[in-house]
Amino acid sequence: MGLGLLAASSVAIAAFALASSPQSAQPEQAWPTIRPATTRPLAVFVGDSYSAGVGASEQSKRWTSVVSAEEDWEEINLANGGTGYLRTAKEAGCGKAFCPNYQDVVAAVVRNNPDIVVVAGGQNDVGMDLNDVRSAIESTFRTIRQELPNVKIIAVGPSAPVAGDDITAIDSEVRKAAAAVKATYISLLDPPVLSKSMFLTDGAHVGDEGHLAIAARVTENLK
């Protein structure tokens, strides 16, 4: 039974970067670089397909938008499916010829001059060399802090249907890198925020219930 769960976990995690079913289609998005005229705090989200809203029935129900509404933030979403701190994506992952990893999205984050930066995910880096992933995670958070010294940084760890050693290791690296730059770290694995019933038929993404559960975990940890 344990081997079966491990195999299912590996297949599901691989689907994050490679899935191209209609359920996993990357929503169309632009990358705005001009701060909106608003008195509300501006939050920029960096992430993967979860943060982009794959699986949510509408954009307002993706977890990033639910959190932004709850916290009264102005949201700019720079997430791309299939990407991670180190992993880039192409058509199958993000619906474009090329999508950069989190490190390379930081420049767009800085141009928006936000009050809050939320970096979420990491599960797409499973299978890559952990030393390289660690360096990418550290670089991402270090650069955000250096370029935006007063910004509030929120690090949301990776998620998976079943948390194996590989994704747990990445989660640990996110936690340590967040602590190094005095960011708020939020785990989706301990305790697990997602249950099997929340996952869609692709085995990798969640529907509205899952997005709501992630949003609830994040807002709980911002109080």
Side-chain angles (χ1 to χ4, degrees), residues 199-221:
F199 283 85
L200 302 176
T201 55
D202 66 5
H205 299 97
V206 294
D208 291 343
E209 184 184 6
H211 279 275
L212 189 60
I214 295 171
R217 172 64 57 84
V218 172
T219 54
E220 284 169 6
N221 284 270

Side-chain angles (χ1 to χ4, degrees), residues 7-19:
S9 175
S10 299
V11 171
I13 290 169
F16 281 104
L18 301 176

Side-chain angles (χ1 to χ4, degrees), residues 67 70-71 73 152 154 184-186 215-223:
V67 170
E70 179 71 18
E71 298 295 320
W73 296 342
K152 179 178 178 62
I154 300 167
T184 298
Y185 160 76
I186 300 172
R217 172 64 57 84
V218 172
T219 54
E220 284 169 6
N221 284 270
L222 295 180
K223 295 177 181 178

Side-chain angles (χ1 to χ4, degrees), residues 31-36 41-47 51 63-64 68 73-79 105-120 144 148 151-154:
W31 276 19
T33 56
I34 299 175
R35 180 169 180 145
L42 178 63
V44 174
F45 289 82
V46 179
S51 300
W63 75 264
T64 63
S68 296
W73 296 342
E74 187 76 25
E75 176 186 359
I76 291 181
N77 193 308
L78 304 182
V105 175
V106 170
V109 172
V110 172
R111 286 198 297 271
N112 281 285
N113 189 30
D115 302 292
I116 302 144
V117 178
V118 183
V119 185
I144 293 171
L148 300 167
V151 77
K152 179 178 178 62
I153 304 174
I154 300 167

